[in-house]
Amino acid sequence: MKPDRIVVGADDVRPAEILRDLYAPFVRTGSPVLMMDIRTAEMIKYAANAFLAARISFMNEIANLCEEVGADIEMIRKGMAADGRIGPAFLFAGVGFGGVVSRKIPGIDETARETAIHEDLEAVEVVNTNRPVVSSTR
């Protein structure tokens, strides 16, 4: 296990400290352990998954456009990945997202609908509904 970060959500200090100590061996290389309340930790998970889904969805839309105009999606991906502001992760067009980033974006969908902030998330789902599901991550 080599996490980029560990997010601990707890509303009580003692359980948070226990979890921090349990995860300590996995973050010896400097990955942060972020301590926060439960609701904020939950939103980090939802937001990260939705963001990754949006990247995949965006690349699928760019791939569709490339097919229409005769451009090379692989060269587009390499050019975008070389931009330090964008990077190479989750820039592969192809089948609809699956695996860790599920077809639906659970949790955040329901939360966003409760607050009427959901149009962009729905667009991500619509793009990927029209593509086959992949069962593993890249």
Side-chain angles (χ1 to χ4, degrees):
M1 191 160 98
K2 297 178 184 176
D4 294 323
R5 59 35 181 138
I6 293 177
V7 178
V8 175
D11 291 329
D12 188 355
V13 174
R14 182 70 182 131
E17 290 172 347
I18 291 169
L19 287 169
R20 184 185 59 224
D21 292 344
L22 285 171
Y23 282 114
F26 301 106
V27 294
R28 291 185 184 148
T29 59
S31 298
V33 176
L34 306 171
M35 310 294 284
M36 63 203 62
D37 64 273
I38 291 170
R39 187 62 174 162
T40 302
E42 181 179 41
M43 283 303 300
I44 286 174
K45 178 176 177 50
Y46 294 160
N49 284 345
F51 183 76
L52 295 175
R55 281 182 69 115
I56 295 166
S57 180
F58 177 80
M59 289 307 292
N60 284 336
E61 284 290 277
I62 295 299
N64 291 340
L65 182 58
C66 286
E67 289 172 8
E68 289 293 318
V69 301
D72 183 343
I73 186 60
E74 184 59 17
M75 294 307 297
I76 303 288
R77 184 193 66 76
K78 287 179 181 178
M80 290 176 64
D83 187 323
R85 298 167 301 168
I86 298 170
F90 292 89
L91 283 184
F92 291 91
V95 295
F97 55 77
V100 175
V101 181
S102 64
R103 189 170 192 86
K104 293 279 185 185
I105 308 168
I108 200 165
D109 271 347
E110 291 77 19
T111 302
R113 278 183 182 72
E114 290 170 10
T115 62
I117 302 172
H118 58 83
E119 290 84 10
D120 291 340
L121 299 173
E122 287 179 351
V124 168
E125 287 188 34
V126 166
V127 168
N128 287 287
T129 298
N130 297 325
R131 299 189 75 93
V133 177
V134 62
S135 60
S136 63
T137 60
R138 296 182 194 248

